[in-house]
Amino acid sequence: MRVVAAMSGGVDSAVAAARMLDAGHEVVGVHLALAQSAATLRESARGCCTLEDAGDARRVADRLGIPFYVWDMAERFREDVVEDFAREYAAGRTPNPCLRCNEKIKFAALLDKALALGFDAVATGHYAQIEEQQDAGAAGGIRRELHRAVDEAKDQSYVLGVLDADQLARSFFPLGDTTKPQIREEARRRGFSVAKKPDSHDICFIADGDTRGYLAKRLGERPGPIVDTDGEVLGEHGGAHGYTVGQRRGLGLRVPPADGSPRYVVSTDTTTNTVVVGPEELLGVDLIDADHLRWCGPAQAVGVELELGAQIRAHGREYPARVSVGDEGGDGIPARVRVRLAERVRGVAPGQSVVLYDGTRVVGSATIASTGRA
């Protein structure tokens, strides 16, 4: 099989490429140039996509003896990930750019280009597993399922929950059966210079990790009130887009609560430019309505109710849930889900993704539109 190995310049994608080669595939390494003005050297372990990363990926490809190319997808990344991120915050939602990058770039733009060039599949260094099941209704009689990785601390199935059945059929995740320490040791044995390279963290295009500062530069300062649930003004903010549900730090409230208990952001409204704060007990929700529904495998029928697990953050807990499938246009096409959690969960914000699991199998994902209490 002819496979494009997406090589970020890190240790995970390096070992993934090596394992695909060991498995007998014809492998070509591709580094995605996503930054429009990549720095020569990384300033911290947070960022990625620098010239240094491209050089690290090329050195691994040379050691493996495979062809290596850099594909420029900076403009597509800017529009589909960076600008989407800013638009979502401007609208008062809290997006996950890693899911959007997987949906729009790595398993759409990259995969589409690979297929157009005659390749069969894409391999990445994500920590997740593909399992194959007999299914007479699937192409070739085999259905591919996405499952959690064996390394729970590194499991990335959440950010892959946006993949559909066709994308899964052409994807490989060679690291899913291995822990991160074992991957680093394997990289050392293979003589890869990236064996001890730090992982990138947080949002790749915000290298210093200061999301609020980044949004202030992108969206501008827009002072407005911070109020309690009764409407009393407690302080001022520089823009409602810089706050998210569940936030406690950096509120700068002028009026302390009478009982001395901490206050949290319970809602934001970018239309009125208002941030509402309240006590911790107001944060808990157990009802989620979500749209932008994507099935990671066979689609479920409208009207069906499922007993599944729901995960709301990339490395958060999985909660038991009852999931009802609905359609927005009344045309019988699944388009949204209502998720009833078995317990109340704090800090759930519109714009986040809820990923649904059946055991270790990823069933699908959706974007949270609203929350409430059953």
Side-chain angles (χ1 to χ4, degrees):
M1 188 175 289
R2 300 188 70 220
V3 176
V4 165
M7 302 182 70
S8 67
V11 62
D12 296 327
S13 60
V15 174
R19 288 187 171 188
M20 293 303 294
L21 192 64
D22 290 348
H25 299 292
E26 180 184 343
V27 179
V28 170
V30 169
H31 178 79
L32 298 183
L34 302 179
Q36 292 186 307
S37 56
T40 301
L41 297 174
R42 66 171 60 227
E43 296 178 355
S44 70
R46 292 180 181 273
C48 68
C49 311
T50 65
L51 295 179
E52 178 190 5
D53 294 315
D56 288 340
R58 183 180 296 277
R59 282 185 284 275
V60 170
D62 289 345
R63 188 168 185 84
L64 292 174
I66 62 174
F68 178 81
Y69 301 94
V70 175
W71 288 357
D72 185 355
M73 293 191 177
E75 181 58 30
R76 180 77 179 264
F77 181 78
R78 182 192 65 80
E79 177 58 32
D80 288 345
V81 180
V82 179
E83 295 300 329
D84 176 80
F85 178 83
R87 285 192 296 267
E88 286 291 282
Y89 266 103
R93 294 186 288 268
T94 305
N96 187 314
C98 293
L99 274 87
R100 197 64 65 239
C101 183
N102 285 333
E103 177 186 354
K104 299 291 188 178
I105 306 299
K106 294 176 183 174
F107 298 95
L110 172 63
L111 180 57
D112 289 347
K113 183 171 181 176
L115 296 177
L117 292 174
F119 291 92
D120 302 301
V122 166
T124 73
H126 287 98
Y127 284 80
Q129 298 187 88
I130 296 283
E131 294 186 8
E132 295 186 344
Q133 306 291 341
Q134 296 293 327
D135 185 346
I142 298 293
R143 182 181 74 251
R144 304 188 91 211
E145 298 177 346
L146 178 65
H147 286 255
R148 290 190 184 277
V150 299
D151 189 339
E152 294 183 4
K154 294 297 295 182
D155 174 54
Q156 293 174 296
S157 60
Y158 175 89
V159 296
L160 296 170
V162 291
L163 303 189
D164 61 26
D166 291 338
Q167 291 167 329
L168 281 181
R170 297 183 179 277
S171 301
F172 287 95
F173 307 116
L175 309 188
D177 62 351
T178 315
T179 66
K180 182 60 178 263
Q182 291 171 325
I183 291 298
R184 288 201 180 276
E185 174 57 23
E186 181 176 335
R188 186 196 63 78
R189 292 198 310 268
R190 291 179 181 272
F192 294 161
S193 59
V194 295
K196 294 183 178 180
K197 186 175 181 178
D199 293 339
S200 59
H201 295 288
D202 300 322
I203 301 170
C204 66
F205 54 87
I206 306 179
D208 62 3
D210 181 10
T211 300
R212 186 186 294 184
Y214 174 85
L215 291 170
K217 292 178 183 177
R218 286 297 310 271
L219 303 178
E221 292 285 343
R222 189 186 172 201
I226 300 177
V227 303
D228 64 16
T229 54
D230 293 324
E232 180 184 354
V233 177
L234 305 180
E236 187 178 84
H237 61 74
H241 51 257
Y243 295 77
T244 190
V245 173
Q247 181 177 331
R248 176 186 175 186
R249 297 183 182 278
L251 300 181
L253 302 180
R254 295 194 302 264
V255 181
D259 61 2
S261 62
R263 290 294 184 263
Y264 301 81
V265 175
V266 296
S267 67
T268 63
D269 187 335
T270 55
T271 302
T272 62
N273 197 32
T274 302
V275 174
V276 181
V277 298
E280 183 177 6
E281 57 264 25
L282 294 183
L283 291 177
V285 301
D286 54 10
L287 185 63
I288 294 171
D289 284 312
D291 51 24
H292 192 62
L293 178 60
R294 291 177 65 88
W295 297 112
C296 198
Q300 304 295 319
V302 169
V304 67
E305 186 167 279
L306 308 167
E307 298 287 337
L308 298 172
Q311 186 172 327
I312 301 159
R313 297 177 182 84
H315 297 289
R317 279 181 55 195
E318 178 185 323
Y319 300 91
R322 286 184 293 119
V323 179
S324 303
V325 183
D327 64 321
E328 292 177 333
D331 53 9
I333 299 175
R336 60 183 176 83
V337 289
R338 169 162 285 188
V339 181
R340 295 175 175 84
L341 301 168
E343 61 183 272
R344 288 182 176 171
V345 180
R346 290 178 44 187
V348 183
Q352 291 176 322
S353 292
V354 55
V355 177
L356 305 172
Y357 291 83
D358 182 5
T360 62
R361 181 175 73 87
V362 180
V363 175
S365 69
T367 303
I368 297 172
S370 61
T371 64
R373 298 187 180 188

